[in-house]
Amino acid sequence: MPAPPYLGEFELQVLLVVIRLRDSAFGPDIARELEVRAGRRVSRGALYTTFDRLDDKGLLRWRTVPGTEARDGLPRRLYSATAAGLAAVRAAREVVRNLWNGLDRVLEEPLK
Amino acid sequence: MIPPRVPDWLLRRWFPLGTDRDTIRGDLLEELRRRDRLHGARAARAWYWREVLSLLFRGHRYTKMITLDNLLQDLKYAWRSSVRMPAFTGLVVVTLALGIGASTAIFSIVNGILLRPLPFPEPDRLLWISEATARGDVISASWMDYLDWRARARSFETLAASRGKTFNLTGLGQARRINGRIVTANFFAALRTQPVLGRGFGPADDVAGAPETALISHGFWQRLLGGDPNVVGRSITLDGKPVTVVGVLPQGFRYLREYDVFTSMGSLAGEDWITDRGNHQGFVAIGRLSQRVDKDSAARELAGIGESLTREHPATNADISIVVERLSDRLVKTVRQTLIVLFGAVGILLLIACVNVAGLLVARGSARQHEMALRSALGGKRSRLIAQLLVESSVVSFAGGVLGVALAFGLLRLLIAVAPEGTPRLDEVSIDGLALLFATAAAVGCGLLFGAFPAVHVSRANAQQALVRARTTGSSAASHRIRRVLLVAELAMALVLLTGAGLMIRTLSSLTGIDPGFRPDHVLTMHLTIPEVKGEDAHRVAVVDDVLGRINALPGVVTSAVGFSLPIDGSNWNSVFWPQDKAVPASHENLPSAAMIPVSPAYFETLGIRLVKGRAFTPADRGTTNLVAVINESLAARIWPGEDPIGKHLKQGWPERPGKWREVVGVVADLKFEGLTERTPLQLYMPIAQETAGDFHLLIRSSVPPQSLVSIVDAAVAAVSKDIAIADRRTMDAVVNQSISRQRMARLVLTVFAGIAVLLASIGLFGLISHAVTERRHEIGVRLALGAERGDVVRLVLAGGMVMTLTGIGLGLAGAALISKSLEELLFGVKPLDAVTFVAMPALLLVVSLVACALPAWRATRIAPATALRAE
């Protein structure tokens, strides 16, 4: 299996939220979840660009479902991670875990 | 909630049709509604705007117009091509700078002096409410009526009332007259203004018998109380009574004009004269509309209340109606016409600058059609070509904008320096940000619009055709046509401005040609108020004699006098009178009325008023001697036509009332009392010793520049009494100038504008003709080679320019004829369609155009046939 593509920080966050939200991974919900969990304001420009980039990399896919009344019946996309997407997230976790290894004590004590 | 229209439109316009767009719009809509519920509509809308903009600039898959890489590339290219053509770039930059600079500077002046923005939150919701008589004359509101409005009206959050009052301030050095207002406690709540120090007025301050309290202006606090930090609670003396300062108003606070002090209603609340409903004693109400109430419904409600008041109090309210105006409208009412004229001038100038830039860009664009055609043939996308041209013209426009701002600051200083003496509020004028933004946006927008011309044009025409033609004959017929049309428009607009300037110049010369009836040069005037003292008349006369005695002894003073009214400034006392030897008319309406002017003996001499007959007053005319009067020629002619008025008797007031008969001892020339342009009223002078007043105007004729006397005159008055208040130190020249300052300002603005407009138009004409000569070099060379005379060539070139000039003049005259009507109110002694102006100004423009065409024409004659033909 080829090395999973590199994930930017924001791309990783978006993917994680998509995985977390499962059946309710719609655009507005993803943005809201990012705001709550990652504590960052997400501009739609950045968000949709990231969706597209993840799509280009084959990490994310979506299907279009009928809209609700709250959005005047305009269609919406339900996002989900592809197998490659899941692999990329796992790989990213692995990298962080390797880097984190042995640093727990240092980071828990106040830095001098 | 529906999405804001503009960003939604942008979204639909910019994004390709399809589910992508629909899902994004749906997402945004969903979130918009959620935010509306959580944070309110305003925040939600702001969010929507932000997100749409972020999408337009960030979404790489959706927006293909602007990308950073391309932008940088275009910027570099723009810089290179601008530097390569310094003359063109310079012309565009200078034109834009002139347009932006001049219009911003002058708009700032107009705005600072005339527009006086209301410095209150939500000023549109402030209404000015007063009353009117059956004849439609607006009068002040009755205090009792106001109380009823306040109790019954539901349209207002706050309904306050106030009345102006001049106070004599004593106890702080030399006494002075200060402008103040007596206000109800809720007055500042209506204006939403809080004191910066101390407290505002509360309901207790409105109660009759409450201790007198005052809020003072920031300026008063700094100037007269030295910024005393413990000013709250301090007592000041107004009109001889102690008043406690309870607070200081914010810096820059002004209500319609600068006021130094606002006192509470408590001092007046119980007085008989204000509780009489029929008395209209200077009160005006200010209402702040409640949310969701508009002016019209408030006016309807008040009208209804007015009708019930009429039923309840028929004796006093039968003929009274309520007048409601927006406070801001009320303020600009007197200057609206001037404003419209100046705004028009600003607009035309800006338009000229835009048209000029457009012409230049089109000329440049047509020269670059070959380049564009080539790039297009090599596979350059149309959108990229347009984007690049847009970036190029933005760079140039931006430079013009920057220079324009610099110019606006410089021009403003210059204009302030040359503004007529007595122009009010000049010190408050500063560059207006909104005007700057607008002018820049207009000019740059125009640059962008016409900057894209060559690219748009190339795509229309067959690129191949353009490639071939551009090499051989230069610019296309289309670009020439556009430039000619633009130039004709420019010339026409320049003529409109020129005509306006001409009319104002003629107006000013007829205004300054008016004989005011006195010599205003070398006269200093100030207003004096003598405090009220028991024993009154004799005391006042003694004070006046003392003051005049001391002033006459000063070096540089020729004569001095006092008078109850000041010429030009307006009469302070008008009254009916009746001559003893005429039958009293049946109806009071037919009684003559005159300006009554108590004066000291040297009044006529000091002002240089011509004595026509009889004698002037002398120091011997005292209260104890024979009562005398001096009348003006108009009064003599009206009452005693063909008779000798000397020795006749007349009396001020109603004929049937007892009064003092005065003997006419002299006749003087008519004097302009109510401004230069008003009709001269009948005038009746009487000795101040026989008819004294507590306040009057001091007049001093000097042999030195009058302004230089101010401090020693102040000292002389102070030596008589610390309690005489001095105000309004002006020269009579300034008084006269002030009365025509609107016309002066209009002349100044229109002349400057017209000058710039003519300059721009002639530059444009010069550029176009030069360009035409260059392009027709070959043709002219052939003509010369075939034996054409130099004169024929000059005629050929000039004819091209003159056809445009004459077309422009024709259109301009039509435009000027339509627009000059709006100047009518400012004109004096000149008709809107003044023949002299309408001939002289086109002639001037024609001459300037001829000069502008002459140089290229001369150049055309220098074309060597051989060189021109060799280029083939």
Side-chain angles (χ1 to χ4, degrees), chain A residues 27-28 32 35 41-46 48-49 52 55-56 62 64 69-72 74-77, chain B residues 20 22-31 33-35 47 50-51 54-55 58-62:
Chain A
R32 226 170 295 150
E35 276 171 24
R41 216 190 68 76
V42 181
S43 86
R44 300 293 141 149
Y48 291 112
T49 318
D52 290 333
D55 177 38
D56 289 343
W62 61 74
T64 307
E69 202 176 313
R71 46 195 286 138
D72 291 355
L74 287 165
R76 50 185 181 162
R77 290 173 181 170
Chain B
D20 274 357
D22 288 345
T23 48
I24 289 174
R25 282 184 63 217
D27 285 0
L28 287 173
L29 188 61
E30 207 180 315
E31 185 69 12
R33 288 179 177 156
R34 194 179 73 92
R35 283 177 186 259
W47 173 86
R50 215 165 42 226
E51 295 308 323
S54 89
L55 274 167
R58 292 287 292 276
H60 74 130
R61 180 180 283 192
Y62 309 106

Side-chain angles (χ1 to χ4, degrees), chain B residues 683-768:
Chain B
Q683 291 150 3
L684 201 162
Y685 301 90
M686 41 197 111
I688 203 156
Q690 296 177 353
E691 189 71 52
T692 65
D695 58 340
F696 44 79
H697 296 273
L698 179 62
L699 292 152
I700 301 163
R701 178 166 292 280
S702 65
S703 55
V704 295
Q707 279 292 355
S708 67
L709 290 177
V710 168
S711 56
I712 56 170
V713 170
D714 277 1
V717 173
V720 175
S721 164
K722 274 264 179 241
D723 292 340
I724 301 177
I726 310 174
D728 292 344
R729 301 167 182 85
R730 292 181 290 173
T731 63
M732 273 318 280
D733 277 331
V735 173
V736 174
N737 277 341
Q738 209 164 346
S739 75
I740 55 172
S741 64
R742 286 197 313 151
Q743 283 87 352
R744 271 178 187 276
M745 193 48 94
R747 179 189 63 170
L748 182 72
V749 170
L750 286 173
T751 320
V752 171
F753 276 16
I756 295 175
V758 169
L759 184 71
L760 289 178
S762 52
I763 290 175
L765 190 60
F766 170 78
L768 187 62

Side-chain angles (χ1 to χ4, degrees), chain B residues 197-533:
Chain B
L197 210 63
R199 65 168 176 94
F201 292 136
D205 294 301
D206 272 357
V207 179
E212 286 207 40
T213 49
L215 281 164
I216 59 174
S217 73
H218 197 271
F220 181 93
W221 179 43
Q222 292 296 327
R223 225 172 37 246
L224 293 169
L225 302 175
D228 176 8
N230 300 317
V231 66
V232 174
R234 191 168 156 177
S235 179
I236 55 177
T237 310
L238 297 178
D239 289 346
K241 284 182 287 184
V243 177
T244 309
V245 174
V246 294
V248 177
L249 292 165
Q251 190 164 14
F253 170 83
R254 51 162 63 230
Y255 170 75
L256 308 193
R257 51 172 289 183
E258 209 92 57
Y259 285 105
D260 280 326
V261 58
F262 292 83
T263 62
S264 53
M265 263 308 291
S267 56
L268 291 187
E271 303 261 341
D272 288 347
W273 58 268
I274 75 163
T275 50
D276 175 353
R277 191 176 291 271
N279 244 342
H280 295 257
Q281 289 284 4
F283 284 99
V284 165
I286 295 293
R288 183 172 279 279
L289 286 173
S290 301
Q291 297 290 349
R292 282 186 278 279
V293 175
D294 63 10
K295 179 194 156 213
D296 292 339
S297 55
R300 273 195 303 276
E301 189 193 13
L302 281 173
I305 295 172
E307 278 164 27
S308 27
L309 287 177
T310 304
R311 278 193 301 276
E312 294 160 30
H313 311 279
T316 52
N317 286 40
D319 291 327
I320 298 293
S321 58
I322 301 175
V323 184
V324 179
E325 278 178 66
R326 239 177 262 286
L327 186 61
S328 46
D329 291 346
R330 180 73 200 170
L331 207 54
V332 295
K333 198 162 202 162
T334 53
V335 294
R336 175 159 296 147
Q337 201 57 38
T338 321
L339 274 180
I340 291 170
V341 169
L342 297 181
F343 274 144
V346 167
I348 292 179
L349 184 74
L350 200 56
L351 210 57
I352 289 179
C354 291
V355 167
N356 210 344
V357 169
L360 286 167
L361 286 171
V362 169
R364 167 125 195 264
S366 69
R368 290 178 67 182
Q369 252 176 28
H370 177 69
E371 176 199 337
M372 291 298 142
L374 190 63
R375 290 175 59 172
S376 166
L378 291 176
K381 269 198 213 137
R382 183 183 166 203
S383 60
R384 275 291 283 124
L385 292 185
I386 292 182
Q388 189 220 318
L389 284 169
L390 287 181
V391 170
E392 272 190 50
S393 42
S394 317
V395 167
V396 179
S397 306
F398 180 74
V402 171
L403 194 64
V405 174
L407 194 72
F409 277 96
L411 205 61
L412 187 64
R413 288 188 36 192
L414 184 79
L415 282 168
I416 290 176
V418 301
E421 186 184 356
T423 304
R425 305 183 62 213
L426 264 189
D427 52 323
E428 292 166 37
V429 169
S430 64
I431 289 292
D432 184 82
L434 194 67
L436 197 60
L437 200 69
F438 173 75
T440 310
V444 170
C446 171
L448 291 179
L449 193 67
F450 285 90
F453 167 78
V456 174
H457 194 70
V458 145
S459 59
R460 289 237 185 83
N462 182 325
Q464 195 188 358
Q465 192 191 342
L467 261 180
V468 176
R469 201 186 48 193
R471 255 283 162 262
T472 52
T473 56
S475 22
S476 65
S479 93
H480 257 292
R481 212 166 37 240
I482 292 179
R483 289 185 67 194
R484 276 202 300 273
V485 168
L486 289 174
L487 192 69
V488 165
E490 204 176 323
L491 286 163
M493 288 189 287
L495 184 59
V496 171
L497 283 182
L498 263 181
T499 313
L503 288 173
M504 286 320 296
I505 289 169
R506 300 253 299 150
T507 292
L508 253 291
S509 73
S510 45
L511 278 178
T512 46
I514 294 174
D515 175 16
F518 68 98
R519 289 191 295 119
D521 61 293
H522 283 88
V523 177
L524 179 70
T525 166
M526 37 184 86
H527 186 274
L528 302 184
T529 313
I530 303 176
E532 296 183 19
V533 175

Side-chain angles (χ1 to χ4, degrees), chain B residues 542-564:
Chain B
V543 169
V544 169
D545 283 348
D546 195 2
V547 167
L548 292 179
R550 283 169 195 267
I551 288 172
N552 282 333
L554 294 175
V557 172
V558 180
T559 60
S560 66
V562 298
F564 191 59

